[in-house]
């Protein structure tokens, strides 16, 4: 039996244990100190990683060899949507150049990237989830490894999509668009999240959610996304190397593991909509965003890249929606049963992840390295 490196396994076990305290305790949100400690730990073990995660060698080479050759005038052209030969997002290059200009090594850039993505995610979980530590557990596998520890551009883009939820709730469209502009500056695929501001306020209920998802499941074999293939391919959803393509195919192909997960999400969204709407502020907004993500997944499920990368901004709301659904249950027995189901599922997912992504991404005891203790 394979395991992730102990630094990840210890974190995983702690999150499971504390999630039981959250769900069964009186103080749902728990002390802030727990989140600060967990966040700092998560930042260190991925921020200071050494040759771990998809695209790490390529990004490290670009940091010292390619990005310094790019002029700020090129970034300005890219920023203002002027024609340019630069084929990588300007905000990501700008962040690289800012860190590189200080003379610091690449591991400091990965640390800065981890600080931005993980701290903003945890802040959003604390503000919007009844069980924030449980939210971290649901986020950890696979997003923590695939995005925050691998596809850093997309992780940075996705976190600004998540943070924009504050302005979706407050109906501040210009601040929302600023978040999306920053997200787009880190990864072009973030533009797919643009409709979220308006999708969030569409009146929905269990029946409408059911029909919307069923319609998208029926449309799935027809590959209707090909009508927009030119636009979708222009978003450069694949990263700079093919580091994780193998297990993307494993998760996203027909009759895949991800299909089952999406069906579970669909059931939760449909079956417990009324109670969640009654008890959780702004649940309808985050629910609508996630419903669209599930629908988008089924429409694109025959394309392993589109179905895993383009839906990322929407599905990053799952760690908010699922804990809030569980929180809304009137019956403590039902609440505990649903929580236990997802804990067991995450344990199962842990071992699936280790066998495929964990080995490919060098997250195992034999391959993981950290600059704090490996030189």
């Amino acid at each position: 039996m394979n395991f992730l490196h102990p630094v990840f396994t210890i974190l995983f076990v702690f999150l499971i244990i504390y999630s039981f305290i959250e769900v069964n305790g009186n103080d749902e949100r728990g002390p802030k100190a727990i989140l600060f400690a967990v966040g700092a730990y998560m930042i260190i073990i991925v921020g200071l990683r050494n040759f771990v995660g998809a695209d790490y060698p390529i990004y490290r080479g670009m940091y010292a060899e390619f990005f310094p050759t790019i002029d700020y005038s090129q970034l300005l052209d890219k920023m203002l949507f002027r024609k340019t030969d630069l084929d990588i997002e300007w905000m990501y290059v700008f962040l690289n150049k800012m860190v590189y200009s200080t003379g610091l090594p690449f591991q400091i850039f990965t640390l800065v990237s981890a600080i931005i993505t993980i701290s903003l995610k945890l802040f959003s979980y604390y503000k919007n989830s009844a069980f924030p530590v449980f939210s971290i557990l649901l986020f950890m596998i696979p997003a923590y490894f695939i995005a925050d520890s691998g596809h850093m551009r997309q992780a940075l883009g996705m976190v600004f999509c998540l943070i924009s939820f504050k302005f979706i709730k407050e109906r501040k469209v210009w601040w929302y668009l600023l978040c999306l502009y920053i997200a787009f500056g880190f990864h072009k695929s973030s533009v797919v999240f643009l409709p979220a501001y308006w999708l969030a306020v569409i009146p929905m209920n269990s029946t409408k959610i059911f029909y919307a998802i069923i319609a998208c499941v029926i449309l799935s074999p027809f590959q209707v996304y090909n009508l927009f293939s030119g636009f979708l391919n222009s978003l450069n959803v694949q990263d700079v190397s093919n580091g994780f393509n193998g297990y993307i195919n494993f998760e996203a192909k027909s009759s895949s593991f991800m299909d089952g997960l999406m069906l579970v999400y669909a059931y939760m969204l449909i079956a417990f909509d009324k109670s969640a709407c009654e008890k959780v502020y702004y649940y309808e907004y985050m629910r609508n965003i996630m419903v669209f993500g599930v629908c988008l997944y089924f429409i694109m499920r025959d394309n392993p890249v589109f179905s895993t990368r383009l839906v990322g901004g929407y599905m990053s709301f799952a760690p908010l929606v699922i804990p809030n659904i569980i929180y809304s249950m009137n019956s403590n027995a039902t609440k505990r049963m649903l929580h236990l189901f997802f804990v067991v599922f995450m344990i199962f997912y842990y071992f699936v992840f280790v066998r495929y992504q964990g080995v490919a991404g060098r997250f195992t005891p034999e391959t993981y390295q950290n600059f704090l203790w490996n030189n």
Side-chain angles (χ1 to χ4, degrees):
M1 186 177 292
N2 297 322
F3 294 89
L4 293 173
H5 190 279
V7 296
F8 300 115
T9 302
I10 290 170
L11 171 64
F12 185 73
V13 172
F14 174 81
L15 293 175
I16 289 175
I17 294 172
Y18 200 86
S19 74
F20 278 97
I21 297 174
E22 276 188 328
V23 173
N24 295 289
N26 295 320
D27 183 6
E28 294 89 2
R29 294 190 186 277
K32 289 183 180 179
I34 294 293
L35 280 164
F36 282 130
V38 169
Y41 182 81
M42 294 176 75
I43 288 168
I44 289 171
I45 60 177
V46 303
L48 294 175
R49 68 190 187 278
N50 182 17
F51 279 92
V52 173
D55 298 328
Y56 187 99
I58 304 296
Y59 278 127
R60 181 173 181 172
M62 295 174 73
Y63 174 78
E65 298 170 12
F66 175 61
F67 292 143
T69 68
I70 298 174
D71 295 330
Y72 284 104
S73 61
Q74 292 176 277
L75 297 184
L76 182 62
D77 288 338
K78 193 81 170 179
M79 175 182 174
L80 298 176
F81 303 105
R82 295 172 182 163
K83 187 175 181 179
T84 174
D85 293 331
L86 185 62
D87 193 30
I88 192 167
E89 290 84 354
W90 70 271
M91 194 74 182
Y92 182 79
V93 180
F94 179 75
L95 185 61
N96 269 264
K97 289 178 72 68
M98 289 292 291
V99 177
Y100 181 80
S101 65
T102 65
L104 295 170
F106 180 64
Q107 59 263 34
I108 301 303
F109 172 76
T110 58
L111 180 63
V112 170
S113 176
I115 290 171
I116 295 171
T117 61
I118 294 170
S119 63
L120 290 179
K121 281 191 184 81
L122 267 58
F123 172 79
S124 185
Y125 295 160
Y126 187 78
K127 289 294 184 181
N128 299 292
S129 173
F131 303 132
V133 173
F134 184 35
S135 292
I136 299 171
L137 175 64
L138 297 179
F139 145 70
M140 184 177 175
I141 300 176
Y144 178 60
F145 295 97
I146 293 177
D148 300 79
S149 308
H151 301 311
M152 294 182 291
R153 286 160 51 215
Q154 188 162 30
L156 288 160
M158 284 171 55
V159 79
F160 280 95
C161 293
L162 184 63
I163 285 297
S164 73
F165 185 62
K166 169 180 170 61
F167 305 113
I168 293 176
K169 292 189 299 182
E170 297 172 358
R171 308 311 294 163
K172 295 180 178 178
V173 67
W174 293 111
W175 284 103
Y176 167 78
L177 292 174
L178 177 61
C179 286
L180 264 290
Y181 177 66
I182 295 171
F184 183 76
F186 280 117
H187 203 278
K188 287 187 286 187
S189 67
S190 301
V191 74
V192 177
F193 194 74
L194 183 61
Y197 183 87
W198 296 273
L199 291 169
V201 295
I202 295 175
M204 297 287 283
N205 56 36
S206 295
T207 302
K208 292 179 180 178
I209 295 170
F210 173 78
Y211 285 128
I213 293 174
I214 288 297
C216 292
V217 171
I218 293 172
L219 287 174
S220 179
F222 299 100
Q223 301 183 7
V224 294
Y225 57 84
N226 284 329
L227 297 172
F228 310 96
S229 59
F231 167 72
L232 297 176
N233 285 319
S234 73
L235 298 180
N236 191 25
V237 292
Q238 300 225 44
D239 259 281
V240 295
S241 80
N242 293 319
F244 276 13
N245 284 355
Y247 67 71
I248 284 177
N249 289 331
F250 166 76
E251 286 193 345
K253 63 185 179 180
S254 298
S255 303
S256 71
F257 180 79
M258 285 299 294
D259 286 350
L261 178 59
M262 290 297 170
L263 289 173
V264 170
Y265 286 158
Y267 172 77
M268 296 287 289
L269 289 163
I270 295 166
F272 305 110
D273 181 68
K274 185 176 180 179
S275 61
C277 288
E278 290 174 349
K279 290 194 173 183
V280 180
Y281 290 122
Y282 297 105
Y283 171 78
E284 296 92 336
Y285 289 8
M286 64 180 77
R287 173 207 63 195
N288 282 13
I289 293 171
M290 186 174 168
V291 167
F292 188 76
V294 173
C295 290
L296 202 59
Y297 169 82
F298 282 113
I299 288 174
M300 296 183 170
R301 67 186 288 272
D302 284 338
N303 186 305
V305 176
F306 290 170
S307 63
T308 54
R309 306 296 292 278
L310 290 180
V311 304
Y314 292 97
M315 295 315 300
S316 64
F317 281 76
L320 295 179
V321 172
I322 298 302
N324 282 333
I325 289 175
I326 293 174
Y327 166 76
S328 71
M329 296 295 95
N330 293 319
S331 167
N332 285 331
T334 304
K335 181 184 297 185
R336 291 166 183 166
M337 180 187 68
L338 289 172
H339 170 253
L340 181 61
F341 169 82
F342 277 98
V343 168
V344 172
F345 174 81
M346 291 307 296
I347 293 172
F348 170 70
Y349 204 168
Y350 171 96
F351 289 105
V352 173
F353 182 87
V354 174
R355 183 174 179 181
Y356 297 95
Q357 298 97 321
V359 173
R362 297 172 58 87
F363 297 111
T364 59
E366 299 79 16
T367 56
Y368 172 80
Q369 295 186 58
N370 190 291
F371 281 101
L372 283 183
W373 57 82
N374 296 110
N375 297 317

